[in-house]
Amino acid sequence: MPKECQKASEEKIAAERARITRFAHGLANPFVFGNISRVEKVSGAYLDAVCRILQALPEAMYVYTGPSEYPSIQDAFKRAGVWDRVASIGWCEHHETLPAFDCFLEPFPLGGITTASAMDYGVPAIFMRGMVGICGMSRGAN
């Protein structure tokens, strides 16, 4: 198979995988920001930043993994008035969930290797300038 055809085929498969994954998780919003990390990595400053993003983009939603009943996370989104566009999808495998995200939001101050995984799946990632994740990716990023 010519290289161009193989790339087009891989892109088609990736798009279909993302569509199926989004459908399986009930993610109907046009733009999905997401994060896959342990809850202890999610700081108050990070939650505030995500809330500001959702307030600025009323069509977007935020998806996170882990326990759905986590009061500090729920309270932050409820106070900001964006809780109706936030979903917890429980614990998951990266390869099953990352394709459903339009953009990965690395938690701070404790980022990690999942950001590299997101970009490996073709998902753009946003991380805090000057923060250094486990793999050192965030250094000097905007």
Side-chain angles (χ1 to χ4, degrees), residues 8-60:
S9 178
E10 289 171 0
E11 288 173 356
K12 224 175 181 183
I13 291 169
E16 184 62 11
R17 182 181 300 136
R19 188 191 68 75
I20 291 167
T21 301
R22 286 171 81 124
F23 178 77
H25 289 300
L27 309 178
N29 287 54
F31 198 91
V32 177
F33 289 98
N35 175 31
I36 299 174
S37 68
R38 296 185 316 270
V39 175
E40 61 268 16
K41 288 187 171 189
V42 177
S43 68
Y46 173 80
L47 290 174
D48 289 344
V50 174
C51 288
R52 287 193 310 271
I53 290 169
L54 292 177
Q55 289 167 337
L57 302 169
E59 294 295 318

Side-chain angles (χ1 to χ4, degrees), residues 76-88:
F77 289 121
K78 286 177 181 176
R79 278 192 310 274
V82 296
W83 176 244
D84 61 323
R85 293 184 287 125
V86 175
S88 169

Side-chain angles (χ1 to χ4, degrees), residues 66-81:
S68 59
E69 300 292 324
Y70 207 82
S72 64
I73 291 175
Q74 292 174 332
D75 292 346
F77 289 121
K78 286 177 181 176
R79 278 192 310 274

